[in-house]
Amino acid sequence: RVRSIPGPWPAAERLLVCVSPSPFSERLVRAARRLADELRAEWFALYVEPTGRGGRAKADQYRVEKNLQLAEELGAKVATRHAPAVAAAVVGFARDHNVTKIIVGKPLRPRWRELIRGSLVDQIARLSGPIDVYVISGPPGTTRAKPEDDPSRPRRWAPYLASSLLVIATTLVGWPVHLAIEPTNLVILYLAAVVLAALRLGRGPAVLASVLGVAALDLFFVPPKLTFAVRDSQYLLTFLGLLVVGLVISTLAAQVRDQVDAGRRREEQTAALYSLSRDLAAAVGLDAVAEAVIEHVGRSLGLSGRILLPDGGGLRVVSSDSGAELSDAELAVASWVYRNAKPAGEGTDTLASTAMRFLPLNTARGPRGVLALEGGSPDERADPGRRRLMDAFASQAALAIERAQLAYEAGQVELLRATEELHAALLNSISHELRTPLASITGVLSTLRQSPGGLDAVAPLGENARGELVEVAWEQTGRLNRLVGNLLDMTRLEAGAVRIRREPCDVQDLVGAVLADMPEPWAGRVVTVSLAPDLPLVSADFVLLAQALSNVLDNAAKYSPPGSAVEITAALASDGVEVCIADRGPGIPEAELGRVFDKFHRAVGSNGAPGTGLGLSITKGIVEAHGGRVSAGNRPGGGAVIRILLPLAEESTSNPGGGG
C-alpha cells in the first residue's frame, strides 16, 4: 500500500471460500479447511446476499447461518456482504483481504439456466485476474432445495396480485384525464406505479407492473383502443422506453430498498453493541457486568437471559431477569456447554430439544461462564442477524467478566503484597526493638553469673555495680513488657476485642494518674500542666484512656531533646474536652502529618529514636473507639502537638458548667 503496488501480494497464501444456502456448501467449507491446513494458510468464508431479489426463505437463512457457523468453528474468518453483483463482491473482498485463492462450488442448476442468466463461476474467473479460482464439484444427485418447498416462506403470489391491482388503479386514475392530454403523458403515471411496486413489493412485482403498464397503455389509451394494435408506429418507441425504463427503475429501486433494510439492521446491531460496550466499560464487579448484559439482552433482543458462572464444582446463576429457576436438565446442558466451550440447546446441533439456547462465554484463557437465552418467536430465533448479535453479546460479556475477574485477582494480589509488606515491617521493627532489651538483659545476667557466687565467677563485683546491673535489667524488662503490650493492644483493637467500660472521668485525675506512672526516662524533664477550671466530666474507660495519653507522652519524650519541656493543656470545646500534648522537638514533616497514626510508621528525622511506630496508632484506635477524634500538627516556633477530643459524659452534657 505504501508503494502503491496493486494487490493481491503473494507473500503468503490466503484462501476464500464462497458460502451459499446450498446443501453442498458444507462440503465446500470442509474442503477449504483441508486445503488451508495443507497450505498452512489463513482462510475466509464469505456469503454475499444479492440485493433486489426479495427476501430469502427461512430454510435458506438457516442453511447459510449453519454453514457460516461451521466455517467459524473450523477456524475461518466469517463475513457477510450485501451487493447487487455477487461475483464483483467476491472478487472485491478477495482483493481487499489479499486473498490468493478463491474456492467456489460447481453450479448445480441446469445448463440452459446458465446460458440465460450466466454462470457465477465464469464471472468470478473473468474478474479474478491474478487470483486463482478453484472449482469443487458436489456429489452426484446434490440439488438445492426449492424455495417453494419451505413452509415458512410467505405466499409468493400476493405481491404480484398487489402489483396487478396497482396497475389497475393507475389505469382508473388516468381514464378521466386521458381525453385532455396526450397518451404519451400517461407514461409518468405508470412509471410512478413501477417505482412504488419496486419500493414496496420487490423486483419481480415491479417487473410485472412495468409489463402490465405497457399493455394497459396500449389497450386503453392508444388508438385504436381496446386492441393491442397501434395506428402510429411511433408509439412502439414509447412502449419500448416505458418497458426499459420500468425494468431499470424496478431493479434500482429494489436494490436501494434491500440496501436500506440491510443498513438499518447493521445500524441497529452496531448501536446495540456500542450501548452494551459502554455500559460494560462502566460496570465495576461481576454483579454489575452480569446485570448490564442481561438488561441489554432483554432490550436489544427481546429475550430472557441468565448468566451462569462457575462455583465450586458446578455453575450458579449470578444474574437473571426472571425469578424462574433452571431445571436439572437445563443445568446439565449449561455444564456441558461450559466444559466443551460450544453452544448447545435450541437452534444448534447439540441437545436441540432444549427450549433455551446456551452460549459459552469464551476468552483466550478458556470459558468464563454460560449465557442462557430464552424467548422470542420462531422467525426471530431463526434470523441469522440476531444469532450473530447473540454471539457478539456473548463475546462482549465474556471479555467484561474476564476483566472483572482479573481486577478482583489483581486486588487480591495487591492485598497480599500489602500484607507481606506489613509483615516485613513488623518483623523488621520487632526484631530491632526486641534485640536491644534482650541484649541488655542477657549482658546483665552474664555479668551476674560471672560475679562472686555465680556459676562462672572470674572477678569480684561490687555491691553498687550489682545494683546498677539489676536496675538496667529492670528497665529493659519494662521496655520489653511495654513493647509486647503494644503489640497485643494493637491486635485486640484490630480484632474488635477491646471492651470499653464507660464511666464519668475527671480529666485532672486522668492526667495526674498518667504522670505518676511515667517511666524513668522522664526523670529531670519538665512537664507543664495547664487545665481549664471547672472542666466537665468525660465519658471514657479510665484505664484505656490513660494508656492512650501515656503513649502520646512517651512519643513526645522520644522525639524531643532531653531536658526540654512538654506541655499538657485541656480546655472545653464545642463538642467535648480537648486535651493537647505539645513538645519542642523537630516537629512532624508536613507530608507525614496524615500518616503519623499509621501502624509501624515512623516519621522521617526520628534520628534513631527507639520505637515500633505503634504508640500513636494505638492511641487513635482507643480514642476513636470512645467516639472521639485525634489529630497531629506542628507548633509555632518548633515542636509537635497531638490534640485529643474526648466526648462529654451524659450528666456533664446536660450541665456543662459542672466540675469534678
Side-chain angles (χ1 to χ4, degrees):
R1 292 191 184 96
V2 173
R3 301 179 180 273
S4 300
I5 301 175
W9 313 285
E13 297 289 351
R14 279 189 178 180
L15 277 62
L16 172 64
V17 58
C18 300
V19 177
S20 72
S22 171
F24 173 51
S25 287
E26 180 179 352
R27 182 173 180 270
L28 199 64
V29 169
R30 297 187 182 278
R33 163 63 187 276
R34 290 194 296 269
L35 183 58
D37 289 345
E38 292 176 1
L39 298 176
R40 296 181 179 179
E42 183 181 7
W43 63 297
F44 301 85
L46 173 67
Y47 170 70
V48 179
E49 172 70 24
T51 58
R53 299 186 184 179
R56 287 179 292 148
K58 298 300 180 184
D60 288 349
Q61 293 180 0
Y62 176 75
R63 281 193 293 269
V64 169
E65 178 68 19
K66 184 177 179 181
N67 292 332
L68 291 177
Q69 183 178 357
L70 173 63
E72 188 172 12
E73 292 176 354
L74 294 178
K77 294 182 179 180
V78 175
T80 302
R81 296 290 185 270
H82 293 77
V86 176
V90 170
V91 176
F93 181 90
R95 289 175 177 170
D96 292 341
H97 293 78
N98 200 34
V99 171
T100 59
K101 291 178 172 54
I102 299 177
I103 302 174
V104 295
K106 183 178 180 180
L108 302 177
R109 62 180 60 142
R111 181 64 180 171
W112 63 268
R113 293 185 62 182
E114 294 184 15
L115 295 176
I116 296 176
R117 303 180 61 179
S119 171
L120 179 62
V121 175
D122 294 339
Q123 296 175 11
I124 293 176
R126 187 165 49 252
L127 297 174
S128 61
I131 304 176
D132 299 333
V133 179
Y134 288 73
V135 181
I136 298 179
S137 60
T142 303
T143 59
R144 178 176 174 177
K146 297 181 179 180
E148 292 80 6
D149 298 336
D150 187 0
S152 63
R153 191 174 181 85
R155 298 180 183 274
R156 303 193 63 182
W157 52 265
Y160 293 94
L161 177 61
S163 177
S164 303
L165 295 177
L166 182 60
V167 174
I168 294 174
T170 303
T171 304
L172 294 177
V173 171
W175 182 259
V177 298
H178 84 284
L179 299 176
I181 61 176
E182 291 295 328
T184 53
N185 294 328
L186 296 175
V187 172
I188 302 301
L189 294 178
Y190 288 102
L191 286 178
V194 172
V195 173
L196 183 61
L199 293 176
R200 297 292 183 181
L201 304 176
R203 181 182 179 184
V207 172
L208 177 61
S210 179
V211 174
L212 293 180
V214 172
L217 180 64
D218 184 19
L219 185 63
F220 295 103
F221 301 109
V222 175
K225 300 178 181 179
L226 301 180
T227 65
F228 288 105
V230 291
R231 184 176 302 171
D232 190 351
S233 60
Q234 294 181 356
Y235 281 109
L236 295 178
L237 183 61
T238 302
F239 296 155
L240 180 61
L242 174 60
L243 181 61
V244 172
V245 173
L247 293 177
V248 173
I249 290 178
S250 63
T251 301
L252 294 178
Q255 290 179 0
V256 170
R257 185 193 64 172
D258 291 346
Q259 291 175 357
V260 169
D261 292 341
R264 178 182 53 81
R265 291 193 298 269
R266 287 195 296 268
E267 181 183 3
E268 292 176 352
Q269 294 177 3
T270 302
L273 289 175
Y274 170 74
S275 179
L276 175 63
S277 301
R278 181 188 57 194
D279 290 349
L280 289 180
V284 178
L286 283 176
D287 293 338
V289 169
E291 291 177 1
V293 173
I294 296 303
E295 178 184 355
H296 282 274
V297 164
R299 182 193 310 169
S300 303
L301 299 175
L303 302 177
S304 174
R306 298 175 179 84
I307 288 184
L308 298 90
L309 297 181
D311 183 19
L315 296 174
R316 64 180 179 90
V317 178
V318 297
S319 183
S320 173
D321 56 358
S322 64
E325 297 290 339
L326 294 179
S327 63
D328 294 340
E330 292 170 340
L331 286 175
V333 175
S335 299
W336 184 92
V337 170
Y338 178 75
R339 291 193 305 269
N340 295 274
K342 295 181 179 180
E346 188 270 334
T348 66
D349 295 333
T350 305
L351 304 172
S353 60
T354 307
M356 302 180 68
R357 182 180 177 89
F358 296 88
L359 300 176
L361 303 179
N362 292 329
T363 65
R365 301 175 61 187
R368 292 290 175 174
V370 176
L371 174 62
L373 303 175
E374 183 180 19
S377 63
D379 292 343
E380 292 177 344
R381 292 195 295 267
D383 184 17
R386 288 174 60 85
R387 293 195 178 191
R388 287 193 295 269
L389 191 58
M390 294 178 194
D391 295 336
F393 272 35
S395 299
Q396 293 285 341
L399 293 177
I401 290 174
E402 183 180 43
R403 172 178 58 82
Q405 292 176 342
L406 291 177
Y408 175 78
E409 293 175 2
Q412 295 298 314
V413 171
E414 180 64 21
L415 180 60
L416 180 60
R417 185 188 64 81
T419 303
E420 290 179 351
E421 290 182 355
L422 181 63
H423 289 168
L426 174 62
L427 291 176
N428 292 335
S429 178
I430 296 304
S431 61
H432 175 73
E433 294 301 322
L434 289 178
R435 187 180 296 112
T436 301
L438 287 177
S440 299
I441 296 173
T442 302
V444 169
L445 293 178
S446 176
T447 303
L448 292 177
R449 182 173 182 173
Q450 295 175 0
S451 64
L455 298 178
D456 302 321
V458 295
L461 187 63
E463 189 66 28
N464 293 334
R466 293 173 60 90
E468 291 177 0
L469 290 175
V470 171
E471 188 65 25
V472 170
W474 177 258
E475 291 178 2
Q476 295 301 323
T477 303
R479 178 181 174 184
L480 184 60
N481 183 59
R482 287 194 301 273
L483 174 61
V484 175
N486 284 338
L487 291 173
L488 294 177
D489 291 340
M490 194 72 248
T491 304
R492 292 170 57 207
L493 284 172
E494 291 184 342
V498 175
R499 297 291 183 264
I500 298 178
R501 299 178 181 178
R502 294 179 179 273
E503 58 182 2
C505 300
D506 186 359
V507 177
Q508 184 175 357
D509 293 342
L510 183 64
V511 173
V514 171
L515 293 177
D517 196 35
M518 291 309 295
E520 185 65 22
W522 280 85
R525 188 180 292 272
V526 178
V527 178
T528 303
V529 180
S530 177
L531 306 180
D534 298 331
L535 283 176
L537 300 178
V538 296
S539 175
D541 187 317
F542 192 92
V543 176
L544 290 177
L545 198 54
Q547 180 182 355
L549 294 178
S550 177
N551 288 342
V552 176
L553 288 172
D554 184 62
N555 190 78
K558 290 177 182 177
Y559 293 97
S560 61
S564 61
V566 175
E567 301 176 9
I568 303 176
T569 60
L572 181 64
S574 59
D575 51 353
V577 174
E578 186 179 63
V579 179
C580 299
I581 301 176
D583 60 53
R584 285 299 181 183
I588 304 173
E590 294 293 333
E592 300 189 12
L593 285 175
R595 300 182 57 195
V596 294
F597 297 103
D598 294 346
K599 291 183 299 182
F600 306 112
H601 177 74
R602 302 181 66 189
V604 177
S606 57
N607 297 325
T612 60
L614 289 175
L616 294 184
S617 179
I618 294 173
T619 298
K620 180 182 179 182
I622 293 175
V623 172
E624 290 182 349
H626 281 80
R629 298 191 303 272
V630 60
S631 61
N634 289 315
R635 303 177 62 188
V641 57
I642 304 297
R643 296 180 176 87
I644 300 175
L645 183 67
L646 302 175
L648 298 177
E650 294 183 0
E651 59 184 42
S652 297
T653 304
S654 60
N655 182 19

